[in-house]
Amino acid sequence: NLDVDGTTNLDDVDIDGNTQLDGTLTVGVDDTGKDVQFFGATSGQYMLWDESEDELILAGDSKLSFHDAGGGENIVASADGHLEINAGTTLDITAPTVDINTTTKVDIDSNAGIDLDGTALSIDGTDDSNITVTGSAKDLDISVAGGGTQELRLASAGTGASAIYLNASAGGVDVDAAAS
């Protein structure tokens, strides 16, 4: 029995049927919370708020999926370690610094091009840093556009011997400058 004055201490409550709560539901007390589990239709799969770790766990599933049913955006993590973020139109990452750490490579697939809006692009490698163009066309066009003075500079800055090489295995290389 549950007394309406709240004097009965209940250890377990089992409600079979629809329940509506028209107020705040508090589980545990600040800094001494409790685990909360939500079970779904599949045996062994549930969502758990683990109070001792302060983390949300989707247990017993081979993947994680957060889905916005109205807009089609989702975040999916599969059992093989693949994490995918699908945005309906635009994915914004806004921070003073964004670090992408990988041991193999970063792939950017874009048919419309890549815009880097900033004051500098720096490629910092432990050995030689290369820009490689692959595909059927294999052209690399570097252009400087805008108003005022437009310059394209190839500079080699270092403490040892420095050199700039322009090389073409088939065809020629034209260098045109106002000064030698």
Side-chain angles (χ1 to χ4, degrees):
N1 294 331
L2 174 62
D3 294 336
V4 283
D5 64 0
T7 58
T8 301
N9 184 11
L10 298 176
D11 290 331
D12 293 311
V13 176
D14 186 359
I15 301 172
D16 296 325
N18 295 335
T19 303
Q20 180 175 333
L21 179 65
D22 293 330
T24 302
L25 172 64
T26 302
V27 178
V29 179
D30 189 21
D31 200 30
T32 58
K34 302 293 180 187
D35 289 350
V36 180
Q37 288 183 323
F38 298 91
F39 291 95
T42 304
S43 176
Q45 295 184 356
Y46 55 90
M47 183 172 64
L48 166 67
W49 171 256
D50 184 347
E51 63 85 21
S52 65
E53 298 296 326
D54 285 333
E55 65 184 14
L56 184 62
I57 300 167
L58 292 174
D61 204 345
S62 63
K63 66 177 186 164
L64 163 71
S65 179
F66 293 103
H67 180 71
D68 173 14
E73 295 82 10
N74 60 17
I75 300 173
V76 179
S78 61
D80 63 358
H82 180 89
L83 177 64
E84 185 174 319
I85 300 173
N86 298 306
T89 57
T90 303
L91 174 64
D92 289 329
I93 300 173
T94 304
T97 301
V98 176
D99 289 333
I100 299 174
N101 300 307
T102 179
T103 57
T104 53
K105 65 179 178 175
V106 175
D107 286 332
I108 300 174
D109 297 325
S110 174
N111 292 333
I114 299 169
D115 291 333
L116 298 174
D117 295 331
T119 58
L121 169 63
S122 175
I123 300 173
D124 186 8
T126 56
D127 294 320
D128 291 343
S129 296
N130 298 308
I131 297 175
T132 304
V133 179
T134 60
S136 60
K138 296 183 180 153
D139 289 338
L140 174 61
D141 295 328
I142 299 175
S143 62
V144 179
T149 302
Q150 300 170 11
E151 296 177 342
L152 174 60
R153 297 180 186 174
L154 299 177
S156 179
T159 57
S162 299
I164 297 174
Y165 295 100
L166 298 176
N167 187 4
S169 60
V173 175
D174 291 329
V175 178
D176 185 10
S180 60

